[in-house]
């Protein structure tokens, strides 16, 4: 169904409203409703029926339900482990090694690369390990959020045995032309593109340069560091309320590292065995129950209250994810991804195409907040067009992955972005505004790299 340039209106309104209001959920809902309004106008179907039907379709989609439950259960696990003082114990152990701001942030960066299997798992584990220590070292949590977010998806896309690699390998290998390259299977094919996932490489590489001061503190990040000079805690009154209102009083004498390590290792092991984060989280929560209850670290009623409260704490994140799914459906229904690709099609050639593919996927992902859905929609269009113009298929696939990583890293309402800000207990917009300059640096370097590679690699 052809809407022409009109299909861009909901996306433009969404971005403008999000920047103006500094809100996340509401601009997404407005953009989705505008999209469905256009669809209703074009098809003659009732707007109310269409909008309501598509909204409830989200809650009956197995992938949507899985993501909502996984995000909520992450909150449950964080709350239960925190109640056991396990995070205090980890902070105490790391504190013996990490004596400065630099070593603390470097430890977060290294941990993030070690826990590469899944970006959600990465965010949960690294923030739980380092958040309290970062507070003790007077590091603004915006800086910690940037480090954690930059070692989530950027690390996962560079490892062939991660959820990102499995997903994108499967998406690409559905194309007959990709199978004809002869690499054998989806993962083997994905492995070939890893050296060309330039955005992931540069986003990850900028982090230690930021930590040691080679890349300076810029804009909102600089202001965040200046704020930590206000008092001994390093936070103004607003930030103190925001960050520490629900912090548990430390009980160092009864804090055990194993209360953190055993549930997290259980989660990782079960997730790897079943290839399902939901099962891993359930196993970790049951592990907490068995580990804490006999030792009276928590009562049964306290455990039940804690996991429910932890789930409830993630409600703002879940609302953003639902709204992102909603607008993604609206943008796809009115044909915005196909229209944007159609706009640039007359101007592409083999040399420029990888860079344009990176921009297109990144831009569409940023607008919709979908770092997996939009690439899956675009791949069947972008890859055949790349073959048609003679672009290197490995570069094109890598550009799609880089665009998705850019979305995950930069978008106000991408799931990893909102989950990182929640895990670090800061406002979502505060995380985005402090991170964007460094995202921009990585994006520019990646763009130049794709352009150069387009000319060098036939």
């Amino acid at each position: 169904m052809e809407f022409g340039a009109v299909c861009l209106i909901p996306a433009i309104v969404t971005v403008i409203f999000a920047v103006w209001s500094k809100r996340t959920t509401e601009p997404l809902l407005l953009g989705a409703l505008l999209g469905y309004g256009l669809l209703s106008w074009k098809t003659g179907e009732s707007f109310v029926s269409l909008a309501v039907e598509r909204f409830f379709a989200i809650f009956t989609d197995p992938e949507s339900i899985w993501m909502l439950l996984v995000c909520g259960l992450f909150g449950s696990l964080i709350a239960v482990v925190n109640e056991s003082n396990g995070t205090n114990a980890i902070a105490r152990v790391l504190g013996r090694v990490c004596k400065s701001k630099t070593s603390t942030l470097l430890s977060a960066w290294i941990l993030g690369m070690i826990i590469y299997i899944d970006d959600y798992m990465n965010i949960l584990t690294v923030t739980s390990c380092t958040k309290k220590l970062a507070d003790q070292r007077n590091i603004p949590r915006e800086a910690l959020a940037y480090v954690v977010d930059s070692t989530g998806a950027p690390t996962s896309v560079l490892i062939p045995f991660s959820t990102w690699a499995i997903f994108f390998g499967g998406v690409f290998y559905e194309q007959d032309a990709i199978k004809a390259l002869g690499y054998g299977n989806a993962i083997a094919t994905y492995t070939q593109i890893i050296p060309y996932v330039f955005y992931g490489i540069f986003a990850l590489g900028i982090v230690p340069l930021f930590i040691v001061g080679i890349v300076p503190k810029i804009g909102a990040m600089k202001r965040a560091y200046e704020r930590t000079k206000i008092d001994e805690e390093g936070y103004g009154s607003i930030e103190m309320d925001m960050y520490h209102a629900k912090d548990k009083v430390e009980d160092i004498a009864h804090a055990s590292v194993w209360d953190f390590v055993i549930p997290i290792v259980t989660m990782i092991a079960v997730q790897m065995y079943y290839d399902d984060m939901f099962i891993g989280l359930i196993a970790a929560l049951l592990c907490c129950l068995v580990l804490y209850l006999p030792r009276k670290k928590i009562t049964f009623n306290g455990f039940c209250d804690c996991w429910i409260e932890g789930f409830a704490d993630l409600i703002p994140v879940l609302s953003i994810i639902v709204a992102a799914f909603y607008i993604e459906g609206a943008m796809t229904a009115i044909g915005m991804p196909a229209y944007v690709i159609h706009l640039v099609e007359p101007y592409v050639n083999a040399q420029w195409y990888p860079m344009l593919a990176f921009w297109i996927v990144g831009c569409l992902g940023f607008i919709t907040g979908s770092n997996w859905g939009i690439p899956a929609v675009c791949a069947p269009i972008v890859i055949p067009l790349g073959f048609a113009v003679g672009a290197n298929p490995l570069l094109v696939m890598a550009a799609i992955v880089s665009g998705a990583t850019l979305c995950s890293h930069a978008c106000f309402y991408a799931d990893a972005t909102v989950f990182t800000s929640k895990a670090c207990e800061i406002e979502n917009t505060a995380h985005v505004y402090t991170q964007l300059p460094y995202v921009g640096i990585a994006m520019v370097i990646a763009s130049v790299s794709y352009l150069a590679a387009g000319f060098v690699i036939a």
Side-chain angles (χ1 to χ4, degrees):
M1 187 176 297
E2 293 294 335
F3 285 85
V6 176
C7 71
L8 299 175
I9 292 175
I12 294 170
V13 171
T14 298
V15 173
I16 292 174
F17 187 29
V19 172
W20 173 77
S21 67
K22 296 185 180 180
R23 303 285 298 179
T24 306
T25 305
E26 293 78 3
L28 289 172
L29 293 175
L30 175 61
L33 291 174
L34 286 174
Y36 288 123
L38 288 176
L39 189 61
S40 171
W41 166 70
K42 195 76 171 181
T43 63
E45 187 176 349
S46 166
F47 166 70
V48 174
S49 299
L50 182 63
V52 171
E53 177 188 334
R54 297 299 177 94
F55 184 80
F56 282 103
I58 294 172
F59 292 97
T60 58
D61 179 69
E63 291 187 7
S64 301
I65 295 171
W66 180 90
M67 184 169 288
L68 294 174
L69 288 175
V70 164
C71 286
L73 289 174
F74 265 122
S76 299
L77 184 59
I78 291 169
V80 172
V81 172
N82 190 54
E83 185 68 19
S84 75
N85 281 299
T87 51
N88 289 331
I90 287 291
R92 181 185 61 196
V93 171
L94 286 176
R96 295 170 184 165
V97 179
C98 305
K99 302 294 185 180
S100 66
K101 293 181 180 182
T102 299
S103 58
T104 298
L105 289 177
L106 283 174
S107 71
W109 180 66
I110 293 168
L111 278 172
M113 290 188 293
I114 292 172
I115 307 170
Y116 63 82
I117 297 170
D118 182 81
D119 51 340
Y120 281 13
M121 182 190 298
N122 176 303
I123 293 165
L124 166 66
T125 307
V126 177
T127 52
S128 298
C129 287
T130 57
K131 186 167 57 179
K132 292 181 184 297
L133 183 60
D135 289 347
Q136 294 169 12
R137 299 290 180 264
N138 204 21
I139 298 170
R141 289 201 184 176
E142 291 91 338
L144 178 62
Y146 163 61
V147 172
V148 171
D149 205 358
S150 299
T151 53
T155 298
S156 294
V157 297
L158 299 176
I159 303 294
F161 306 106
S162 67
T163 52
W164 280 68
I166 293 168
F167 172 79
F168 280 100
V171 168
F172 297 148
Y173 211 66
E174 289 179 357
Q175 305 295 312
D176 291 336
I178 298 301
K179 291 179 182 177
L181 295 176
Y183 293 114
N185 57 51
I187 294 300
T189 301
Y190 187 88
T191 302
Q192 299 297 317
I193 75 172
I194 289 175
Y196 309 116
V197 183
F198 294 131
Y199 182 82
I201 293 169
F202 293 121
L204 188 62
I206 288 171
V207 175
L209 302 180
F210 163 83
I211 293 171
V212 301
I214 295 175
V215 174
K217 312 300 184 289
I218 304 171
M221 185 68 80
K222 183 178 181 180
R223 291 192 292 273
Y225 269 89
E226 290 172 349
R227 189 195 63 229
T228 62
K229 300 176 183 178
I230 292 176
D231 53 42
E232 292 182 359
E233 281 287 338
Y235 303 109
S237 58
I238 295 175
E239 289 77 15
M240 181 70 75
D241 292 339
M242 182 193 306
Y243 293 163
H244 300 299
K246 294 186 178 181
D247 274 4
K248 180 178 170 61
V249 176
E250 294 190 7
D251 185 7
I252 297 296
H254 297 91
S256 170
V257 172
W258 298 111
D259 288 331
F260 177 88
V261 171
I262 293 176
I264 296 300
V265 169
T266 298
M267 176 187 70
I268 294 172
V270 173
Q271 193 274 342
M272 291 179 67
Y273 183 80
Y274 286 100
D275 193 24
D276 192 324
M277 182 59 71
F278 175 77
I279 299 175
L281 285 165
I282 294 296
L285 285 168
L286 293 176
C287 175
C288 289
L289 183 64
V290 173
L291 187 63
Y292 304 157
L293 209 59
R295 296 162 53 227
K296 298 182 180 179
K297 301 285 290 188
I298 191 172
T299 65
F300 180 74
N301 286 338
F303 174 84
C304 295
D305 291 341
C306 202
W307 83 260
I308 291 173
E309 289 171 4
F311 198 106
D313 284 342
L314 267 290
I315 292 296
V317 175
L318 302 184
S319 68
I320 294 172
I321 292 172
V322 169
F325 285 148
Y326 196 37
I327 195 173
E328 178 194 351
M331 297 300 100
T332 303
I334 62 177
M336 189 194 69
Y339 176 75
V340 172
I341 293 171
H342 174 72
L343 279 181
V344 302
E345 187 175 350
Y347 310 103
V348 300
N349 56 42
Q351 290 73 36
W352 287 79
Y353 192 74
M355 184 182 71
L356 290 174
F358 169 54
W359 286 355
I360 290 168
V361 174
C363 179
L364 292 173
F366 183 90
I367 291 169
T368 63
S370 174
N371 44 271
W372 280 16
I374 284 297
V377 171
C378 290
I381 306 171
V382 172
I383 291 175
L385 183 57
F387 275 104
V389 300
N392 185 291
L394 297 180
L395 282 178
V396 173
M397 287 187 286
I400 292 172
V401 175
S402 283
T405 311
L406 172 62
C407 163
S408 173
H409 203 197
C411 180
F412 288 70
Y413 33 84
D415 51 2
T417 303
V418 296
F419 192 54
T420 301
S421 58
K422 180 61 181 177
C424 291
E425 294 179 320
I426 61 175
E427 288 291 335
N428 189 50
T429 51
H431 170 41
V432 172
Y433 288 141
T434 50
Q435 180 166 271
L436 272 179
Y438 307 100
V439 170
I441 293 171
M443 183 183 71
V444 169
I445 299 173
S447 298
V448 173
S449 299
Y450 279 118
L451 182 59
F455 281 93
V456 173
I457 303 174

